[in-house]
Amino acid sequence: MKRITLPDGTSVTALGQGTWMMGDSGADRRKEIAALRAGIDCGMTVIDTAEMYGDGASEELVGEAIAGRRGAVFLVTKVLPSNASRSGTVRACEASLERLKTDYVDLYLLHWRGRVPLAETVEAFDALTRAGKIRRWGVSNFDVDDMEELAGVADAGACAVNQVLYNPEHRGIEFDLMPWQREHQIPIMAYSPLGQGGRLLRSPALAEIAKRHGANPAQVALAWALRDDNVVAIPKAGSSRHAEENARAADLALTPEDLAAIDADFPPPRRKEPLAMI
Ligand code: NDP
């Protein structure tokens, strides 16, 4: 599986697994745990969750799914902006660790910007790093101006990723944020890379490309995100079948003709667009 190098030199798999809305329904629990385990078996070892998801239910599900294989997983979770004060961040992280049944997370993200000054959250992240509770930290839903402000309060190379919405329907970041992050060597973690399983996967362009490659539209969407070597994509799959299909997208190389067909239906940005968020 293709890998992406973080600013501290650690490499992670370019395909990971999202977990939003997993753990919400007791009826799906076994299937969701099996899906995450199947994804890990296929090499998608980056697992993304957040204290917000299901009010902790997603973290609890992830904790169960990775029991006995913690060392094989690169675990990502997020602090809510309303908890992101100096002491609130530490408390939130400790509660996440308890739900995840682990004593450290590999990457801890600020879920989006709130009212707490960035310097205060960064101070808490640094304290958590020193305490060994997080291995590194990053941000989510930050636009270029936020990244610049962050660069003013954090050590160079300290922010490991910025997790943002990225798929053919939402590619405004190609105009400015992606070049900025490339220049500063901060990977993009692409969320909702499958357009949440909606219209994107029914697009004629993706269907046509999928047919040419003997693949499916979800795999085309993932291969599209991974065409950039500064991107980690974290699709969410609720079944083992979807997880296994998604992992195979790492082997799909799109041709210039495929990329042109996607550009025709989902044009790249020509000017600055406000950062899209879900
Ligand atoms: P995705 O774009 O990953 O789409 C998930 C949907 O796609 C589900 O309905 C899933 O169905 C379907 N799907 C998955 N694999 C396939 C497949 N092979 N074929 C057909 N359909 C498929 O949406 P998410 O919004 O969940 O984004 C991914 C992750 O990103 C989240 O789970 C979360 O971890 C993170 N995220 C972060 C945000 C942030 O603010 N930082 C915001 C939003 C998401 P099924 O469940 O049946 O497999």
Side-chain angles (χ1 to χ4, degrees):
M1 163 102 45
K2 180 181 165 190
R3 300 182 77 89
I4 300 293
T5 305
L6 302 180
D8 66 4
T10 305
S11 86
V12 296
T13 55
L15 269 179
Q17 306 188 73
T19 64
W20 189 19
M21 295 195 250
M22 289 174 96
D24 286 1
S25 141
D28 293 333
R29 194 173 184 84
R30 278 174 174 280
K31 196 174 156 199
E32 290 172 342
I33 288 176
L36 284 173
R37 290 182 177 160
I40 296 169
D41 290 341
C42 295
M44 296 191 295
T45 51
V46 173
I47 299 189
D48 177 77
T49 181
E51 61 169 339
M52 186 189 89
Y53 301 162
D55 224 356
S58 165
E59 288 183 327
E60 282 172 1
L61 181 110
V62 169
E64 205 175 320
I66 65 172
R69 47 211 321 194
R70 173 69 186 93
V73 167
F74 185 92
L75 191 53
V76 186
T77 192
K78 315 184 194 80
V79 60
L80 279 166
S82 52
N83 285 338
S85 64
R86 174 72 176 78
S87 57
T89 303
V90 173
R91 270 199 307 276
C93 181
E94 285 167 350
S96 287
L97 292 176
E98 202 152 304
R99 287 187 291 268
L100 288 161
K101 296 195 177 58
T102 183
D103 47 13
Y104 71 96
V105 291
D106 295 280
L107 177 59
Y108 199 38
L109 306 180
L110 173 60
H111 209 147
W112 65 89
R113 278 205 75 169
R115 296 219 183 101
V116 177
L118 280 180
E120 203 179 308
T121 307
V122 168
E123 215 183 286
F125 283 160
D126 287 341
L128 284 167
T129 309
R130 282 193 303 275
K133 293 181 176 168
I134 67 174
R135 291 275 158 91
R136 56 192 69 71
W137 61 265
V139 293
S140 176
N141 297 301
F142 270 41
D143 206 343
V144 172
D145 54 346
D146 302 308
M147 292 304 286
E148 280 173 346
E149 193 180 324
L150 180 65
V153 300
D155 293 338
C159 174
V161 305
N162 180 19
Q163 185 182 111
V164 288
L165 176 61
Y166 186 55
N167 62 50
E169 290 179 315
H170 297 283
R171 55 189 299 191
I173 60 170
E174 287 173 20
F175 185 78
D176 53 351
L177 185 63
M178 286 178 91
W180 192 96
Q181 289 197 204
R182 176 176 295 281
E183 187 190 332
H184 291 81
Q185 297 176 339
I186 302 174
I188 297 271
M189 194 172 268
Y191 74 65
S192 307
L194 302 173
Q196 304 200 287
R199 231 178 17 184
L200 176 68
L201 298 189
R202 296 189 294 275
S203 100
L206 266 57
E208 184 64 31
I209 297 165
K211 211 167 128 194
R212 280 207 283 275
H213 290 276
N216 66 30
Q219 292 170 323
V220 174
L222 295 176
W224 180 86
L226 297 194
R227 79 198 185 291
D228 187 298
D229 61 8
N230 202 36
V231 170
V232 175
I234 47 166
K236 175 254 175 182
S239 67
S240 301
R241 182 168 69 87
H242 279 171
E244 285 157 9
E245 283 175 9
N246 294 347
R248 286 200 297 276
D251 300 325
L252 173 59
L254 300 180
T255 64
E257 184 195 1
D258 298 333
L259 297 177
I262 293 175
D263 286 352
D265 278 20
F266 303 97
R270 288 163 180 263
R271 58 187 70 83
K272 166 75 189 158
E273 294 176 10
L275 183 68
M277 284 174 65
I278 286 178

